[in-house]
């Protein structure tokens, strides 16, 4: 059976590593729906996939700012019209701008919640409205959503909400045969991590490919045996 995979935040980091993991494997996933804002990183990544496509897979990219809810709603309609279905969804895009409580600007808090919480909700809800039944939804939260650290208030609050939202999705969507898994990575060598911990040596921590491997496992035959409220992935 041929399957489609949608990944948000597909331009780099964990999102791009996840795409590569499915793209270079000889598997059933042959329709790739990749979302990110327009950037050199995203263009370079798409060029890389186009230049080396050993299994002849189809890749469609969409430039979108996921803080823009109206555009996200519209895009899900377009996606369903073009692709017909989304079997596997990885809600991966994430944003943070760490600040102390006194320095947080409310608009930035709203943006954090918009990208990290409202966007994955909107994507799932709109795809359901457009008649999609998912096989698997992976929502990427964070260990930062499980305990607080100074400066991470907006990010931690958004990720804590993703963990709980995923639990509700898991319960409600089970009747459609949809599996919903929330994963909470610990520190992983990406640009986002650099924003949170600028002085850390990225070679000493988990790499995006490791998280991608776990997502691959969740989509595999054994993935259905993982019954977790929040799967922690860390070194
Ligand atoms: N790295 C870690 O240590 C760590 C730990 C726990 C959880 N996570 C989570 O893992 C996920 C992936 O992050 P990463 O670590 O791989 O970071 P990353 O390399 O910085 O990637 C973040 C991705 O999110 C996308 N994104 C951010 N804001 C967006 C927006 N407004 N609209 C559309 N896309 C947007 C980015 O795309 P563009 O900027 O190109 O649009 C990029 O593809 C995030 O949810 C993050 O919170 C990361």
């Amino acid at each position: 059976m041929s399957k489609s995979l949608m990944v948000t935040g597909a331009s780099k980091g964990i999102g791009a590593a996840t795409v590569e993991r499915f793209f270079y494997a000889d598997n059933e996933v042959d329709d790739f729906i990749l979302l990110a804002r327009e950037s050199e990183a995203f263009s370079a990544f798409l060029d890389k996939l186009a230049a080396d496509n050993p299994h002849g897979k189809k890749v469609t990219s969409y430039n979108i700012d996921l803080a823009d809810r109206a555009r996200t709603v519209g895009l899900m309609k377009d996606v369903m019209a073009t692709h017909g279905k989304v079997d596997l969804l990885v809600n991966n895009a994430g944003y943070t701008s760490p600040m102390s409580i006194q320095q947080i600007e409310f608009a930035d808090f709203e943006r954090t919640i918009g990208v990290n919480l409202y966007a994955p909700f909107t994507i799932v809800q709109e795809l359901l409205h457009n008649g999609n039944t998912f096989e698997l939804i992976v929502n990427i939260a964070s260990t930062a959503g499980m305990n607080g650290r100074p400066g991470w208030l907006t990010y931690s609050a958004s990720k804590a909400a993703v963990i709980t939202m995923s639990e509700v999705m898991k319960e409600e969507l089970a009747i459609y045969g949809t599996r919903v898994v929330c994963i909470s990575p610990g520190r992983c060598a990406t640009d986002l991590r650099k924003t949170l911990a600028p002085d850390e040596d990225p070679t000493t921590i988990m790499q995006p490919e490791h998280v991608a491997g776990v997502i691959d496992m969740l989509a595999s035959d054994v993935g259905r045996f993982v019954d977790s409220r929040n799967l922690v992935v860390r070194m």
Side-chain angles (χ1 to χ4, degrees), residues 8 14 18 20 25 37 66 78 88 102 132 142 149 195 204:
T8 69
I14 294 168
T18 301
E20 287 191 331
R37 290 169 297 182
L66 289 170
D78 295 347
L88 312 173
Q102 292 91 333
N132 193 57
S142 170
R149 281 181 217 142
T195 306
T204 62

Side-chain angles (χ1 to χ4, degrees), residues 119-134:
F121 160 73
T122 301
I123 288 169
V124 169
Q125 188 187 46
E126 289 307 312
L127 289 173
L128 289 169
H129 282 163
N130 283 280
N132 193 57
T133 46
F134 307 86

Side-chain angles (χ1 to χ4, degrees), residues 9 11 14 37 64-66 92 94 141-142 155 159 185-186 188 190 192:
S11 56
I14 294 168
R37 290 169 297 182
I64 182 155
D65 183 344
L66 289 170
N92 162 76
S142 170
Y155 184 64
K159 293 299 189 178
C188 178
T190 67
L192 185 139

Side-chain angles (χ1 to χ4, degrees), residues 47-73:
D47 288 347
K48 182 183 170 193
L49 298 179
D52 179 21
N53 185 351
H55 305 291
K57 302 198 177 192
K58 186 175 139 208
V59 177
T60 312
S61 64
Y62 297 94
N63 291 134
I64 182 155
D65 183 344
L66 289 170
D68 186 337
R69 183 175 139 78
R71 274 215 58 214
T72 306
V73 169

